[in-house]
Amino acid sequence: KRKQTNKGGNDMSFLVLPGRAISFVTKNFFSKTNGNRGGAPNVAVVMVDGWPTDKVEEASRLARESGINIFFITIEGAVENEKQYVLEPNFANKAVCRTNGFYSLNVQNWYGLHKSVQPLVKRVCDTDRLACSKTCLNSADIGFVIDGSSSVGTSNFRTVLQFVANLSKEFEISDTDTRIGAVQYTYEQRLEFGFDQYNTKSDVLNAIKRVGYWSGGTSTGAAINYALEQLFKKSKPNKRKLMILITDGRSYDDIRIPAMVAHHKGVITYAIGVAWAAQDELEIIATHPARDHAFFVDEFDNLYKSVPKVIQNICSEFNSQPRN
Ligand SMILES: *[C@@H]1O[C@H](CO)[C@@H](O)[C@H](O)[C@H]1NC(C)=O
């Protein structure tokens, strides 16, 4: 509520706490148990009388990162001589999903609020522009490129598949959310399943389980080329393309050029090396900076340790994209 200075000179202040309200909404409203539907965009309309008396920036960031499109309607915003009271000038821009004006509306006074109904409805229904519906977990095409060479062995290959499944589990999978595909390679390559083959998480996890161990050589360069052709060529334009390559040895063929092509095509490439994998190759395959995209573990039993690291990285990279 507006901070008013009355004739007596004493301040009457009222609390307007949209920051706290946004935190509350993020935690409580948009959960499955409260009826949240996957696939339908999440929208929060925040109405502020005057200006916030708490901070909105951090709470809004968390809301955005969990996929909530925040709209700000400011009613009777601060006039010139009141701006000194505003804790965060530009608070609406700190909160909204994009700072391009689409997400914020100013209303002169409460009597004029009804005039914002039409424009607001129009924007909320323009789902293509609800950019915050996209999160690190629901907006990628992820292609796994799996080394099935002889040195891996049947038992370790199962561990690799478990690793692929554990990573996949973290994402929201459907035909409109994240999609998963997989290629296995030795000297040769084969498409295990493409992005459009399965569109539920359980189908994807079952398909991963069914991948049969091939055994053979290690042509990692050819495998990257193959994945670009067979998987990523069929990626949707609005999806982030992520390649996660897992290998346990040095490649028999050149990886430099295939890796360059992948990076050039905008495929964000993670290289996960196990045991005999060559660190220098991992760093060439991985997207720059290598420390964020190349991971090495000394044995298959330690692969599980990279799961949270890879997820964390995918998400922090996604969330560090510019917001305007
Ligand atoms: C996969 O997840 C299961 C269950 O959390 C865990 O026991 C296993 O060690 C994980 N394996 C890998 C390779 O990530």
Side-chain angles (χ1 to χ4, degrees), residues 31-281:
S31 65
K32 241 192 193 130
T33 48
N34 281 333
N36 196 26
R37 296 165 296 161
N42 293 335
V43 173
V45 178
V46 183
M47 288 191 274
V48 177
D49 178 19
W51 57 86
T53 51
D54 70 350
K55 291 193 174 179
V56 299
E57 189 165 9
E58 178 64 7
S60 312
R61 184 180 63 79
L62 293 173
R64 284 196 301 273
E65 289 177 7
S66 58
I68 301 167
N69 295 276
I70 295 185
F71 284 81
F72 244 71
I73 303 187
T74 309
I75 301 131
E76 300 186 25
V79 295
E80 210 45 54
N81 66 351
E82 291 170 329
K83 289 201 170 140
Q84 54 179 311
Y85 301 121
V86 183
L87 197 59
E88 290 175 307
N90 245 338
F91 59 88
N93 267 352
K94 287 184 170 166
V96 293
C97 191
R98 289 285 179 276
T99 54
N100 55 7
F102 182 77
Y103 289 92
S104 44
L105 291 163
N106 289 306
V107 178
Q108 290 284 327
N109 54 57
W110 283 95
Y111 304 104
L113 186 58
H114 67 277
K115 288 187 204 138
S116 61
V117 171
Q118 284 289 334
L120 180 66
V121 168
K122 217 169 148 187
R123 294 180 197 188
V124 169
C125 293
D126 190 353
T127 50
D128 281 343
R129 293 189 67 182
L130 294 181
C132 274
S133 296
K134 295 209 166 87
T135 70
C136 58
L137 300 179
N138 73 6
S139 58
D141 278 343
I142 304 176
F144 289 97
V145 180
I146 306 166
D147 180 349
S149 62
S150 305
S151 51
V152 177
T154 312
S155 156
N156 288 333
F157 191 75
R158 289 292 122 199
T159 307
V160 171
L161 293 184
Q162 228 184 59
F163 174 73
V164 170
N166 286 359
L167 279 173
S168 303
K169 269 183 207 158
E170 298 289 326
F171 293 87
E172 290 166 40
I173 295 172
S174 82
D175 53 346
T176 54
D177 294 300
T178 288
R179 304 185 305 169
I180 309 277
V183 160
Q184 184 180 177
Y185 74 96
T186 56
Y187 277 128
E188 299 167 282
Q189 311 84 36
R190 75 181 178 214
L191 181 66
E192 300 290 354
F193 54 93
F195 293 137
D196 53 7
Q197 209 156 332
Y198 302 107
N199 52 32
T200 68
K201 192 178 283 187
S202 65
D203 284 353
V204 165
L205 295 179
N206 280 326
I208 293 167
K209 267 195 204 129
R210 285 197 304 269
V211 171
Y213 176 45
W214 203 355
S215 188
T218 313
S219 293
T220 308
I224 295 170
N225 281 338
Y226 182 86
L228 294 177
E229 280 302 307
Q230 297 299 316
L231 283 175
F232 291 103
K233 218 174 216 174
K234 289 160 195 153
S235 181
K236 291 184 190 166
N238 60 345
K239 301 269 169 159
R240 279 164 78 76
K241 299 184 224 337
L242 301 177
M243 173 156 65
I244 301 178
L245 184 142
I246 305 136
T247 181
D248 81 327
R250 192 171 276 282
S251 178
Y252 294 3
D253 66 354
D254 169 64
I255 49 153
R256 219 166 262 278
I257 292 171
M260 241 169 56
V261 174
H263 302 162
H264 187 74
K265 291 194 166 169
V267 178
I268 300 164
T269 307
Y270 285 83
I272 320 287
V274 194
W276 305 277
Q279 299 258 15
D280 58 317
E281 284 195 349

Side-chain angles (χ1 to χ4, degrees), residues 11-33:
D11 288 345
M12 284 172 27
S13 45
F14 303 86
L15 294 176
V16 184
L17 304 169
R20 271 201 225 172
I22 290 166
S23 293
F24 179 83
V25 162
T26 305
K27 278 199 206 95
N28 299 290
F29 280 14
F30 294 102
S31 65
K32 241 192 193 130
T33 48

